[in-house]
Amino acid sequence: MQQIRVIDSHTGGEPTRIIVEGGPDLGTGSMAERAEIFKNEFDAIRTAVVSEPRGSDVWIGGLLCEPCDSNCTAGIIFFNTASYLGMCGHGTIGLMVTLQHLGRIAPGEHSLETPVGTILTRLEPNNRVTLTNVPSYRLCANVEIEVPGFGPVIGDVAWGGNWFFCVKNLEEDLSLSNEPHLTQLTKRIRNSLQQHQITGVNGEMIDHIELYGPARKPENHSRNFVLTPGGSYDRSPCGTGTSAKLACLAADGLLEPGDKWRQESIVGSLFECSYEADGERVIPTLTGQAYISAESTLIFDPADPYRTGIDS
Ligand code: PYC
């Protein structure tokens, strides 16, 4: 019977499940090439690991890979119940703490290969991790769409390792108790973007939607709500989403290179961020904290009709 060993962690409340043993052999190509092989030949492993009954839409999975470049510490392919991710900020923080838990890395700098590029990370004391994300940018500013039941919504399309629509004109109550309304609103925004064929480059789907509002704590700059591709909300401030937001703030002249941006999530967890300018793009740096929550062996009983997950 096939078995897969995973380590679970959470970053600001958002869970990450890293496959550390028993995952598929995807060869020795780049992480982008291996992600294609994962998708085309082993997709049942994705659903088995993160979909119900073992997981749910909240989970982000990651397949730990040997890197192509021996100067890198590891390669990683992130995925969720809907598909595969280019990058994942909270997942990267979870991965670093997982590698430390396994005794595979010590505090210090480590490069990681992802399907969208190599990123630099620094493991610090107390489970803190700083990551320098892939270059991020705003593709389109002030895109206006009609969202049935909610009226006109204006936002920016931006890349932070995944595609985001950063809403600008709504002042919603970003409280956890308001989550059903926020989820319904952001799902309708995503549907409208699809109906109007508003996409990232090469027609790539904008699958993450972000709302912003005032921070609850005076020392922070903003609170967010992020709808993720599976349909749940990010419990963390969303590393790739905050990178996209930094790109929009920089493009609007609202945040200077090196200035601090403290991003609160809907549950109140925090990423401390800043960026460096790179022409029209920004190079975001984010710091967060993750904790190990479980070590398990996933068992796939051939008699179990849901061994590869409930396909939604
Ligand atoms: O932290 O980048 C992130 C992320 C993406 C989806 C959920 N979290």
Side-chain angles (χ1 to χ4, degrees), residues 11 14-15 58-60 80 85 87-93 133 160-162 164 208 226-229 233-243 271 286:
T11 308
E14 179 75 356
V58 181
W59 282 89
I60 298 288
N80 56 27
L85 289 166
M87 227 302 275
C88 181
H90 93 267
T92 298
I93 296 169
N133 197 7
N162 298 299
F164 289 83
H208 295 73
V226 183
L227 178 74
T228 67
Y233 66 91
D234 196 335
R235 278 69 174 158
S236 86
C238 191
T240 49
T242 301
S243 299
F271 284 166
L286 305 98

Side-chain angles (χ1 to χ4, degrees), residues 184-203:
Q184 188 194 42
L185 165 62
T186 48
K187 281 186 174 172
R188 290 218 187 149
I189 295 173
R190 188 164 64 189
N191 288 344
S192 270
L193 289 168
Q194 276 166 31
Q195 272 158 18
H196 292 91
Q197 295 176 349
I198 297 167
T199 67
V201 295
N202 300 324

